[in-house]
Amino acid sequence: MNAEAVLKYILSQPQDALVNNPWALYQALDFYGRTSHLMNFKQAKLNVAKKALDSMQPAPKVVLEFGTYTGCSAIAWAAILRDLNGPFAEGLHVYTFELDEDVAAVAQELIRIAGVDDIVHVIVGPAAESLQKLVAEGKVTPKGVDMAFFDHWEKFYLSDLQLCEDLDLFREGSRVIADNTDIPGAPDYLAYVRAGGRGGEGNVKFETNSYESESGIEGRRPNMVEVSTVLAAKP
Ligand SMILES: C[S@@+](CC[C@H](N)C(=O)[O-])C[C@H]1O[C@@H](n2cnc3c(N)ncnc32)[C@H](O)[C@@H]1O
């Protein structure tokens, strides 16, 4: 589904209910995704992720998202960060990476309508390069990432996770969530987190759980989401 068509659909809806209402905008996108092929992070999977974030102490403030597309999940992360930290909390950031400039422009517009453009930063370009730049600029700091969400192309999941580790971005308790680990699938990524990470002294250690969620659309797959927790960060 082309991203401009998604924006057109949202703009055709009564705007009063959507403006500055990230949950309403997320629901509208999710509803659209039930009838059109929208590669958004569906409600049932979001519920799994939300549970993992709700149980974090301290509450999460900084999210990295690999794969923006129309901004549907980025809008949801921003809403969750606000709900967990209160409407006036400072230091809430969702850094979301998107390869395609035109798609990123649509996401930016939807994020603006949802009223979370103070929290969500859409960064155009290959995620690995964009992340290294953010760290070099001091915008993302060591042990400063509470959750990383992998939802771009599955072949990059493992190398981008390892990049986060090499940049020392995780703290104990950080969550790492990956979508579509069954189809198309990310077998190297799954094997890695199930083994607990690289192993050995001084490396990040993970525990992990696989969740099968209802896609909300009969017979539609993929529906697996992997939720990992950092048991030990780098010393
Ligand atoms: C499944 S969609 C993301 C869906 C989004 N998270 C949501 O739930 O609304 C995947 C997106 O990742 C982007 N992408 C793929 N590889 C990428 C990379 N290496 N760096 C940045 N973006 C990438 C694609 O252009 C596509 O828009």
Side-chain angles (χ1 to χ4, degrees), residues 39-41 67-69 72-73 97-99 125-127 151-153:
M39 48 182 181
N40 66 313
F41 195 54
T68 313
Y69 190 42
C72 181
S73 50
F97 308 120
E98 174 53 54
L99 267 182
D151 193 19
H152 49 337
W153 302 153

Side-chain angles (χ1 to χ4, degrees), residues 14-48:
Q15 294 297 291
D16 283 1
L18 302 177
V19 170
N20 294 330
N21 190 339
W23 281 124
L25 195 41
Y26 173 83
Q27 302 297 345
L29 290 168
D30 193 56
F31 177 79
Y32 186 75
R34 283 162 204 268
T35 48
S36 318
H37 182 69
L38 186 61
M39 48 182 181
N40 66 313
F41 195 54
K42 305 278 185 299
Q43 178 79 63
K45 290 177 167 180
L46 184 70
N47 292 345
V48 171

Side-chain angles (χ1 to χ4, degrees), residues 2-129:
N2 126 352
E4 276 85 21
V6 179
L7 178 59
K8 209 166 151 199
Y9 165 76
I10 291 295
L11 292 175
S12 74
Q13 300 300 300
Q15 294 297 291
D16 283 1
L18 302 177
V19 170
N20 294 330
N21 190 339
W23 281 124
L25 195 41
Y26 173 83
Q27 302 297 345
L29 290 168
D30 193 56
F31 177 79
Y32 186 75
R34 283 162 204 268
T35 48
S36 318
H37 182 69
L38 186 61
M39 48 182 181
N40 66 313
F41 195 54
K42 305 278 185 299
Q43 178 79 63
K45 290 177 167 180
L46 184 70
N47 292 345
V48 171
K50 191 173 174 307
K51 216 167 161 186
L53 295 178
D54 286 351
S55 61
M56 287 180 74
Q57 280 302 333
K61 288 189 161 187
V62 176
V63 167
L64 295 181
E65 177 178 85
F66 295 75
T68 313
Y69 190 42
T70 61
C72 181
S73 50
I75 289 169
W77 305 135
I80 291 171
L81 296 187
R82 258 197 202 158
D83 288 352
L84 292 176
N85 290 281
F88 306 112
E90 293 187 351
L92 307 185
H93 296 288
V94 176
Y95 297 101
T96 178
F97 308 120
E98 174 53 54
L99 267 182
D100 186 309
E101 203 175 330
D102 296 333
V103 168
V106 166
Q108 233 137 9
E109 181 58 11
L110 292 171
I111 288 161
R112 191 193 59 74
I113 294 170
V116 288
D117 45 338
D118 56 334
I119 298 178
V120 182
H121 317 280
V122 181
I123 299 146
V124 181
E129 281 175 29

